[in-house]
């Protein structure tokens, strides 16, 4: 019993201490130490994310459609309403018509105004995201 009391006394101090606060997904060493990793504060530089940063701006979208006997390439101009991983929704303010464009067909986009562009890994970003206007 004396041995058990000694164990209990030694383990009791460890049992009453609080476990470390762990951010979800934070790695731990084999000894139980939490390794702090900086959390990303901005999205990666993918086309859909750049388009999302520029919702409400007018762009000209150049699209190519393979194996189309009617038209191989087409140009769409409109205001960006939404952008997803595989699609873009734009609207033509003059006609009110909306277009759902597939990213797989997108060649490039032009804009007549500066873009807001949030870019990862730029020197001097520190812990906050940096936005800038691109010409």
């Amino acid at each position: 019993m004396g041995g058990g009391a000694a164990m209990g006394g030694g383990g009791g101090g460890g049992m009453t201490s609080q476990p470390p606060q762990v951010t979800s997904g934070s790695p731990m060493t084999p000894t139980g130490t939490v390794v702090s990793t900086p959390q990303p504060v901005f999205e990666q530089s993918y086309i859909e994310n750049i388009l999302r940063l520029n919702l409400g701006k007018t762009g000209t979208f150049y699209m190519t459609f393979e194996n189309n006997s009617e038209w191989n390439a087409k140009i769409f101009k409109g205001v960006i309403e939404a952008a997803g991983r595989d699609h873009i929704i734009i609207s033509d303010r003059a006609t009110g018509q909306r277009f759902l464009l597939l990213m797989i067909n997108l060649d490039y986009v032009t804009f007549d105004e500066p873009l807001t562009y949030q870019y990862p890994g730029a020197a001097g970003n520190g812990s906050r995201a940096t936005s800038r206007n691109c010409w």
Side-chain angles (χ1 to χ4, degrees):
M1 267 220 178
M7 271 200 223
M15 298 275 257
T16 60
S17 66
Q18 293 292 323
Q21 292 288 331
V22 179
T23 305
S24 178
S26 293
M28 292 181 75
T29 65
T31 60
T33 306
V34 178
V35 179
S36 294
T37 56
Q39 298 295 319
V41 292
F42 49 83
E43 295 185 29
Q44 294 183 5
S45 185
Y46 292 114
I47 293 170
E48 68 265 20
N49 296 334
I50 296 167
L51 293 174
R52 280 189 209 119
L53 288 171
N54 291 281
L55 295 177
K57 294 186 179 180
T58 301
T60 305
F61 297 79
Y62 296 84
M63 313 288 283
T64 302
F65 304 91
E66 292 183 33
N67 302 320
N68 189 322
S69 59
E70 200 172 320
W71 33 264
N72 186 18
K74 193 163 182 170
I75 299 170
F76 297 87
K77 187 166 186 159
V79 176
I80 303 170
E81 290 190 3
R85 183 157 298 236
D86 66 345
H87 67 280
I88 310 158
I89 299 174
I90 64 170
S91 62
D92 181 344
R93 289 203 172 144
T95 65
Q97 189 172 20
R98 287 179 171 72
F99 300 93
L100 173 62
L101 306 174
L102 300 180
M103 286 282 197
I104 196 165
N105 301 115
L106 181 66
D107 293 324
Y108 64 96
V109 184
T110 61
F111 293 89
D112 294 332
E113 60 186 299
L115 294 179
T116 301
Y117 180 55
Q118 195 172 11
Y119 52 100
N125 271 359
S127 62
R128 54 176 200 187
T130 301
S131 293
R132 66 176 185 163
N133 286 329
C134 299
W135 295 93

